[in-house]
Amino acid sequence: MTMIQEEGATLDEVATVAYAHLFQAFAEPTRLAIVQHLASGEHRVRDLVEHMGLAQSTVSKHVGFLVECGLATMRPEGRSTWYSLAQSELLRTLIAAAERLLDATGTQALLCTHLRLPHTHHATDTDKK
């Protein structure tokens, strides 16, 4: 995530804002659904619109938020832009931890089944950085 430290803000305040911003990405059901779709591989906004049945502006806004948070990356190709998860291995760990936490509180919930399966990485996958 690229955040500029405001003048006078302490590192603790900057870290708190960074954490809040990251978890906001997962707090919105549409963004969480987009993460699930991106877990299966690259998508264009128009693909996500078709899969999810939402307006293009809605999907674009949420994908933009995910990119801003550093959870998704974009790859231009001609007139299209392809989006993918930026750190699928780390997201796999985070989702698994969230599932264990929910299970410990009495809620069984499975999310992002694509993150549990071995994923064939594309040559442009940023996980390898």
Side-chain angles (χ1 to χ4, degrees):
M1 175 188 333
T2 57
M3 293 192 70
I4 300 172
Q5 183 175 348
E6 291 184 32
E7 196 169 324
T10 68
L11 287 178
D12 285 343
E13 291 168 337
V14 172
T16 299
V17 170
Y19 274 98
H21 200 229
L22 175 67
F23 283 105
Q24 281 178 335
F26 296 111
E28 209 292 325
T30 300
R31 283 193 290 269
L32 198 50
I34 290 170
V35 167
Q36 290 182 80
H37 282 288
L38 293 179
S40 68
E42 287 186 310
H43 285 73
R44 297 169 297 178
V45 166
R46 68 192 252 182
D47 301 327
L48 294 168
V49 166
E50 185 178 306
H51 293 313
M52 301 174 73
L54 298 171
Q56 183 271 333
S57 60
T58 300
V59 173
S60 290
K61 176 182 79 171
H62 289 300
V63 168
F65 191 95
L66 293 171
V67 170
E68 181 183 316
C69 288
L71 295 175
T73 60
M74 49 192 227
R75 178 179 63 83
E77 183 179 282
R79 296 180 64 166
S80 296
T81 301
W82 291 86
Y83 295 91
S84 60
L85 293 178
Q87 302 292 334
S88 60
E89 289 298 319
L90 291 174
L91 279 170
R92 180 178 289 119
T93 301
L94 180 62
I95 295 297
E99 288 172 351
R100 286 192 307 273
L101 181 59
L102 286 170
D103 189 48
T105 63
T107 303
Q108 288 191 324
L110 296 178
L111 185 66
C112 295
T113 55
H114 295 297
L115 285 173
R116 275 189 212 77
L117 304 173
H119 182 69
T120 304
H121 292 294
H122 301 297
T124 60
D125 196 346
T126 58
D127 288 348
K128 299 177 183 177
K129 286 187 178 178

